[in-house]
Every structure is written in structure tokens, then in C-alpha cells.
Amino acid sequence: MRSLLRSQAVRAMAGRLSWGLGDQAVSSITNFVVGLYVARSLGTTAFGMFSLAWVSYGVVLNLSRGLTTDPLMVRFSGVSTESWRRATAQATGTALTAGVAASAVSVTAGLLVGADIGMAFVALGFVIPGLLLQDAWRFTFFAAGHGKKAFINDVVWGIALLPALFIAHRWFDTVVAFILAWGLSGAVAAVYGCLQAGVRPDPRGAREWLKRHRDLGTRYLIENVSNSGSTQLRMYGLGAIAGLASVGAVRGAELLLGPFFALLMGLSLVTVAESARVLQRAPHRLRNFCAILGAGQAAAALLWGLALLLVPHDAGRFVLGDVWDPASELILPVTIGIAAAGFNTGAAAGLRALGAAKRSLRAQLINSAGYVGFGLIGAFLAGAPGSAWGVALAITSGSAVWWLQLHAGIKDHLTLQDHLTSEKKEMRTS
């Protein structure tokens, strides 16, 4: 009987992971198509401009996740439907509120900067609220175990994106047009998410949500923003040191790893919830579960990077145009860095499931400092290639920090559980 239940739990987990991979595959394809259009249509320098707006959005996205969906994934995975609905209304309302605030900042900054790059940030500000809401729906669906709904939502985004990209390319062919096409099609999926969930975002509940989950939200906010913020600082610094073309080259190399990012991000949608379930059922198995997750992602990155190194030159130019030549030189260091990052996500998922926000924050801050420092030193010494190798070194060496923190977090949890068990036995005896 016990083995039957275990096999059913494994099949259920495999199903949730499959929907996570499928959902992120669709999401990554849409992002890949947008990047491909910009790279082929506008060249390396304009692609660098687009990339600066893209990584800036990444900072806002991770800020929103830290305050909203990260606490929700930890505390409302596998709960009753009524609890999930209340939490979802408040979490998505908080995400929408964060989007409006970020929109005002982005538009103001864009108007102050002016020129083409400033207008790119104005366009980004216009679409941020819808993009954050769409992302929040995905995580709430996975928290409820409804990965199929997240998958369908991203399919809707992809369908809306096709005519939007055609219009942007046919009649405008500018960075601003592509940002609007990408963002407005995401807003269509955000509206559809309300219909799927049967829940309306409640911005009025944002204050209560932030107050109730301040213990996790504050630390996850700092952790997430330090992660994406380090990427932003590295890209800004690379642009200042070596020019926008170098930014475009690095982003082009990362774009080539798109299929692996689908795996990495797809698993990240469900690994925290699955790690939390493993922790509830068998805490002593959490370390092995996280190690398998991390090793599998690292192996996938290395295999994909090896395949990219074998791509013929003409085929690469067909895909990325002029961006291929500088980007192809960075495939090896970018692959090593992403493989190490994939391995680290296993430890990160375990720390999130444990609710060990202090430990995950400590690991993230140390890694972010190394990412920016080594990335900019490399850029100063050797431009885009030097920056790519510096980042690879920083992420690889930072793996030890993540896994040491997970080991200590599991030890603390098991010690606490033993202490609670002993107290219960004493109370029964007395």
C-alpha cells in the first residue's frame, strides 16, 4: 500500500513538472522570437538597446515576485481552494500595484533620458503592469497544482504576439514598436488569466498581503532584486566600458541558450512547491531531491552548449544575422555560467521550501557581488569575452555557498523537528 501511494505521488509530481516545462517552453519561445526579430531587423547596437530595457524589466519582475508570488508559492501550495482564492486575489493585486508604481518610474526615467533609448523605457513603462500580472497568474496556477492553466495562458500570449510582431516589423521596425508588441500581447494573456482563475486582482489587499508576509517578502525582495539587479548593473557597466554592441553580443549568446532557459525557468515554476511537498513528507530526502534537480539542469545546459558549438557558421548567421559573429565567440563561457546557475537553483529551491530566507539571501548577495565584480573586471580587461568568462568564474565558485547554506538549513530544520518531537513525548508522558 505504501509503495502504491509513493508511486502515485511520483506520477503526480512528474505531471506537475511536465506542465512546468511545457509552460516555460512556450514562454521562452515567445521571448526568443521577440529577441530574434530585434536582432535580425535592427542589428547589434539596437539589440543592445533592447537588451538594456529587457534586463531592467527583469529587475521589476523579480521585485514583484519577491513580494507576491514567492511567498505565495511557499505558503499556499496545496492549500484549500478558498485559501488559494483569497491569497491569489491579494497577491495578483499586489503585483498589479507594483506594476503601476514601476510604470511611473520607467516612464519618468525614459522622458528624462530622451533619445531612442529613453523612448524604449517609456514604452516599457506602458506595458509593465500587464506583464507583471500575467507572470503572477502563472505562479498562482502552479501553487494550486493547475499547471495546465499556466500553459494555456502562455499559449494565448504567443498567439497574440504573432500579429503584434508582424505589425511592428512591417510598419515600424523600431525598438519601441517591438517592446509594445511584446508587452501588449502579454496584457491580453493577463486579462485572460482573470477569466481562467475566476478571481479578480484586489489591489486594496496589497497592504495586508505585504504586512502578513513581510518576513518572507522583504528577504525575497532583496534576494531577487540583487539577482536581476546584478545582471542590470553588469549590462550597464559593460555598455559603458565596451559599448552597446558588446551588450548585444552577450545578450545574443544568452539568447542562443533559450531552450535551456525554458528548462531552467520551467522547473523553477514548480520546484519550490515540489520541494515544499518533499519537506512535508520526508525532510531527510530534501537534499537528494535538490541535488537531482540541480544536476539535471546543469547537464542539460552543458549538452545544449555543446550542440551550439557545432552549429555551422551560415546557419548561425541565418538565425541571428550580424549578431551571430560576436555572440558565437561567447557560447562556451556563457554555457559554463548557465550550467553552474542551473546547479545552484536546486539548492535555492530547497532553501525556499525551508523558508530559510536569511540563508538564501546571504548566498544570493555573495553571488551577486561576485557576478558584478568579476563581470565588470572582465569587461575592462577584454570587453564582452572577458565579461562572459568573469561571470562564469563567479557563478561556478559561488556554487559552494549555495550548497553549504542548504546543508545548514536542512540541519537546522531537522534539529527543530527533533526538538518538537521530544517535547510532544514529554507532554504525553507527563
Side-chain angles (χ1 to χ4, degrees), residues 8-9 13 50 70 85 109 155 158 179 198 211 249 259 263 269 275 284 296 302 328 404:
Q8 291 176 342
M13 181 190 299
F50 178 84
D70 283 344
R85 288 176 63 86
V155 169
I179 290 175
K211 183 178 180 180
L263 173 68
L269 287 170
S275 297
H284 59 283
L302 292 174
S328 61
L404 285 173

Side-chain angles (χ1 to χ4, degrees), residues 20-152:
L21 291 175
D23 169 71
Q24 190 57 42
V26 174
S27 178
S28 293
I29 287 171
T30 58
N31 292 339
F32 180 78
V33 169
V34 173
L36 197 63
Y37 256 74
V38 177
R40 286 177 56 84
S41 301
L42 304 180
T44 307
T45 300
F47 188 54
M49 189 185 306
F50 178 84
S51 298
L52 292 182
W54 188 284
V55 297
S56 299
Y57 162 69
V59 174
V60 177
L61 178 65
N62 280 287
L63 182 153
S64 176
R65 287 177 178 176
L67 293 175
T68 59
T69 51
D70 283 344
L72 183 138
M73 291 289 282
V74 172
R75 290 179 170 163
F76 295 94
S77 291
V79 299
S80 67
T81 301
E82 188 58 35
S83 295
W84 176 84
R85 288 176 63 86
R86 286 196 302 268
T88 294
Q90 291 186 338
T92 53
T94 305
L96 194 58
T97 302
V100 172
S103 174
V105 173
S106 184
V107 170
T108 302
L111 293 175
L112 291 175
V113 171
D116 290 341
I117 192 169
M119 291 304 99
F121 279 89
V122 171
L124 178 64
F126 186 71
V127 300
I128 278 179
L131 291 172
L132 294 189
L133 179 58
Q134 191 276 337
D135 184 77
W137 286 127
R138 297 169 66 208
F139 281 84
T140 60
F141 290 145
F142 277 107
H146 299 155
K148 183 178 180 180
K149 289 185 177 181
F151 174 81
I152 293 173

Side-chain angles (χ1 to χ4, degrees), residues 108-333:
T108 302
L111 293 175
L112 291 175
V113 171
D116 290 341
I117 192 169
M119 291 304 99
F121 279 89
V122 171
L124 178 64
F126 186 71
V127 300
I128 278 179
L131 291 172
L132 294 189
L133 179 58
Q134 191 276 337
D135 184 77
W137 286 127
R138 297 169 66 208
F139 281 84
T140 60
F141 290 145
F142 277 107
H146 299 155
K148 183 178 180 180
K149 289 185 177 181
F151 174 81
I152 293 173
N153 191 272
D154 271 324
V155 169
V156 169
W157 185 357
I159 293 172
L161 181 64
L162 293 176
L165 283 180
F166 176 78
I167 294 171
H169 178 63
R170 175 86 178 190
W171 282 285
F172 301 98
D173 218 24
T174 63
V175 172
V176 169
F178 284 119
I179 290 175
L180 290 176
W182 164 64
L184 292 177
S185 57
V188 172
V191 173
Y192 182 64
C194 299
L195 300 176
Q196 287 179 291
V199 176
R200 288 190 305 173
D202 183 14
R204 295 171 301 178
R207 179 177 296 180
E208 181 183 350
W209 177 267
L210 294 174
K211 183 178 180 180
R212 182 178 300 176
H213 304 287
R214 181 173 53 189
D215 57 330
L216 293 181
T218 301
R219 291 189 174 93
Y220 289 157
L221 167 66
I222 298 172
E223 180 182 333
N224 288 358
V225 172
S226 69
N227 182 16
S228 56
S230 62
T231 302
Q232 186 180 29
L233 288 175
R234 182 252 185 141
M235 287 295 196
Y236 283 175
L238 178 60
I241 294 170
L244 284 173
S246 293
V247 176
V250 170
R251 176 60 188 152
E254 293 174 347
L255 189 63
L256 292 170
L257 271 293
F260 170 71
F261 277 120
L263 173 68
L264 181 63
M265 298 305 296
L267 287 174
S268 70
L269 287 170
V270 291
T271 49
V272 175
E274 293 305 325
S275 297
R277 292 183 176 98
V278 171
L279 183 65
Q280 292 170 6
R281 294 195 303 265
H284 59 283
R285 293 179 179 169
L286 180 62
R287 185 185 292 104
N288 290 340
F289 177 75
C290 294
I292 292 171
L293 283 176
Q297 292 174 90
L302 292 174
L303 288 173
W304 185 255
L306 177 62
L308 288 175
L309 291 173
L310 301 177
V311 171
H313 180 266
D314 290 342
R317 286 189 63 83
F318 176 78
V319 173
L320 282 182
D322 293 338
V323 178
W324 168 259
D325 289 331
S328 61
E329 298 177 0
L330 309 180
I331 290 175
L332 181 58

